[in-house]
Amino acid sequence: MKRKSLTWMLCTAMTALLLAGCGNSTETADSGQTAQESKTAEESKGEDSEPAEPAADANAADGELPTITFVHGYYHDESEWAAAAEMRSIYQEFADAHKDEFHFVIQADETGAEGIYNTALNDISAGEFYDIADFGGWDITPVASAAGMILDLKPYLDEDSGFKDGAGVCYEQNLTDDGKIYSVREQIEGVGFWYNEALFKEAGADTPDTWKTWDDFNGAVDKLTAAGIMPFGLNAGWPTNILTAAYLQRSGDSRSFYAEGKMTESFNQPAFVDTLSFIQKNALQKIDSANFGPGGDDDEAYRSDFFAGKTAMLFNGVWDAGGSVDCEAGAENIKPAVFPTDEAGKKAALLSGGCGYVVSSQLDEAQTAAAVEFIKYMTSPEVAARIIEKGIGMAPSTAVDYDALADSVEAPEAKLLVEACRLCQNADYQALGLGNNFGDAEGEIQAKYAGLKDGSKTVESAVEELDAFLEAAE
């Protein structure tokens, strides 16, 4: 699926048969918010004033408990997306546990993370911001921090080692140049890939768990195609972006280029040129046109074909353990893997935290404490284990004991998810996803894939166009 900036791949719940479409529901799931709570939340925001201060004054005057409103994008009905219902239950349990300390009002927004992001952009221009919201990967922090609207979480993280451990990879990834951390998440995009062991054996190809370098990947692809087995499906977006980002972790030089990210001044560097050449010759041109889609959130043929047993590999994240449930390929054949490098035996994975919980800087002391307490709860070991055990995704914590979790879960898809997370956590090299790393240039890069596949673009012309984009953006 295509991402904007640090967008989040919505996770497949293990209770679902296959990933459900999440973007067009017309019903809002119960968020645990009462009508009176909604009224209180709206009154506390005010129409033309800063949202937190009037509410704080009213609470102090009346001796009422502080009220804080949390907005999230898990609006989906349980039958549509079980993970959404589980997340709402987690939120409500927090609200219930603290009902004698503060009113924690929970609002599900049917427009999802993108809508929450767009609303925040409009509110910032009016000098307002959510009390606390989950932006689901849509990075509001540059605009909101420049406007002085959001809270720096770093002091709270630094004073509580448990909180810092729970934030895990988000601590370093979201640390700004001026030493601030404006957001952490309870989930991250842990990305390696999946393979169908039976198809590899049918082709006599080495399975990914035995690969030492990218040469082994190439050898396996050649054997698969020689046996008439489609090695993978791709499109002009998400799965090809994963492969591009993964191949850029192959060596010290390519990782150094990748680390430049949004600061890169030119794509005309050997590390990137060689990567596009690999993507063209060793990936895009190894599959037929029926296995290459246009990209976009609705283009999921690459997933469907894999779980139907038509392709041997799927470039997608840990959450797709849920796709193995009752799949035609046979759940027993679906295995997780992380990427090889050109350093024999070294592995690489993509781990992206990105923008999640963001707190208004305009709250009073009690409201701020409540917001921070909620984020601590959402990054706690208990919630981290629940997110993994329920098949929602991978927690950011670097302290999760995946070996212990493997012993505590019973469903085969749960064990698959735990193993996929463990592989990502233990990878020798861990990098942000392509969009997280290169920002708007991600869209420009993926716009070259179709031309590289059909030969209408050369690697050289694609690089020239990318550099022209960088120049125009200056």
Side-chain angles (χ1 to χ4, degrees), residues 317-451:
V318 299
W319 53 84
D320 234 343
S324 68
V325 179
D326 294 334
C327 71
E328 293 178 60
E332 70 279 5
N333 297 319
I334 306 302
K335 309 293 181 184
V338 287
F339 295 98
T341 66
D342 284 344
E343 300 169 24
K346 298 286 188 180
K347 302 292 185 179
L350 306 177
L351 295 178
S352 303
C355 183
Y357 301 117
V358 181
V359 180
S360 170
S361 61
Q362 303 175 56
L363 302 180
D364 69 10
E365 184 176 351
Q367 290 172 309
T368 299
V372 172
E373 188 65 25
F374 174 65
I375 301 175
K376 286 183 179 181
Y377 163 77
M378 292 304 299
T379 55
S380 67
E382 294 77 17
V383 172
R386 186 168 170 181
I387 284 170
I388 297 164
E389 291 170 354
K390 294 293 184 178
I392 299 172
M394 182 176 181
S397 175
T398 54
V400 173
D401 186 344
Y402 286 105
D403 292 333
L405 276 176
D407 292 334
S408 69
V409 297
E410 297 181 359
E413 63 272 20
K415 291 187 178 296
L416 270 182
L417 176 66
V418 170
E419 175 60 13
C421 292
R422 186 188 68 79
L423 289 172
C424 287
Q425 184 188 59
N426 293 336
D428 299 284
Y429 302 108
Q430 299 169 342
L432 291 165
L434 194 72
N436 307 61
N437 201 63
F438 287 103
D440 291 342
E442 175 201 31
E444 297 298 316
I445 293 170
Q446 68 189 35
K448 313 306 175 194
Y449 296 146

Side-chain angles (χ1 to χ4, degrees), residues 44-46 49-55 127-131 149 360 362:
S44 73
K45 290 177 76 76
S49 60
E50 293 183 347
E53 294 179 355
E128 299 180 355
F129 198 80
Y130 294 108
D131 290 352
M149 300 295 295
S360 170
Q362 303 175 56

Side-chain angles (χ1 to χ4, degrees), residues 49-337:
S49 60
E50 293 183 347
E53 294 179 355
D57 292 343
N59 289 335
D62 298 339
E64 296 178 355
L65 294 177
T67 296
I68 183 168
T69 301
F70 167 58
V71 180
H72 65 89
Y74 286 103
Y75 61 86
H76 317 82
D77 186 80
E78 184 173 8
S79 63
E80 180 186 8
W81 192 31
E86 184 67 26
M87 291 301 292
R88 292 195 302 274
S89 294
I90 292 172
Y91 302 151
Q92 191 60 47
E93 288 167 21
F94 174 82
D96 292 342
H98 294 275
K99 63 183 179 181
D100 295 331
E101 304 166 51
F102 47 79
H103 299 301
F104 191 75
V105 182
I106 305 165
Q107 291 184 354
D109 190 329
E110 280 194 34
T111 63
E114 182 177 3
I116 293 169
Y117 171 87
N118 289 329
T119 297
L121 288 178
N122 291 330
D123 286 352
I124 289 170
S125 65
E128 299 180 355
F129 198 80
Y130 294 108
D131 290 352
I132 178 173
D134 179 7
F135 284 84
W138 288 74
D139 194 4
I140 195 66
T141 60
V143 176
S145 62
M149 300 295 295
I150 56 177
L151 182 70
D152 176 16
L153 297 173
K154 189 172 184 295
Y156 303 94
L157 291 158
D158 288 344
E159 71 181 11
D160 186 333
S161 61
F163 188 18
K164 184 176 179 180
D165 288 344
V169 299
C170 293
Y171 185 93
E172 295 294 337
Q173 288 184 357
N174 292 357
L175 186 64
T176 64
D177 291 338
D178 60 351
K180 306 291 180 65
I181 299 175
Y182 292 109
S183 179
V184 298
R185 298 182 73 178
E186 87 289 343
Q187 297 174 51
I188 56 173
E189 291 178 357
V191 177
F193 66 103
W194 300 89
Y195 66 97
N196 185 324
E197 186 177 50
L199 293 182
F200 274 82
K201 289 182 176 179
E202 180 182 334
D206 291 336
T207 52
D209 59 317
T210 68
W211 294 349
K212 298 298 183 183
T213 69
W214 280 99
D215 286 339
D216 296 320
F217 168 89
N218 295 332
V221 168
D222 288 343
K223 286 192 174 182
L224 287 164
T225 54
I229 297 171
M230 193 60 56
F232 37 73
L234 297 171
N235 67 30
W238 175 252
T240 318
N241 287 346
I242 290 174
L243 193 56
T244 297
Y247 194 68
L248 277 164
Q249 311 313 314
R250 66 189 180 277
S251 68
D253 287 344
S254 64
R255 290 191 295 272
S256 294
F257 165 79
Y258 198 79
E260 294 177 11
K262 300 179 182 72
M263 304 304 294
T264 190
E265 297 181 355
S266 174
F267 286 100
N268 191 15
Q269 301 184 45
F272 186 76
V273 172
D274 291 347
T275 296
L276 274 196
S277 179
F278 168 84
I279 292 298
Q280 181 181 46
K281 297 174 182 177
N282 298 68
L284 294 170
Q285 294 183 352
K286 291 290 185 178
I287 60 177
D288 58 33
S289 58
N291 289 93
F292 180 78
D297 288 350
D298 296 327
D299 181 9
E300 296 221 330
Y302 69 99
R303 289 188 66 259
S304 301
D305 287 346
F306 175 76
F307 288 115
K310 298 177 182 178
T311 59
M313 286 179 273
L314 167 66
F315 303 120
N316 209 5
V318 299
W319 53 84
D320 234 343
S324 68
V325 179
D326 294 334
C327 71
E328 293 178 60
E332 70 279 5
N333 297 319
I334 306 302
K335 309 293 181 184

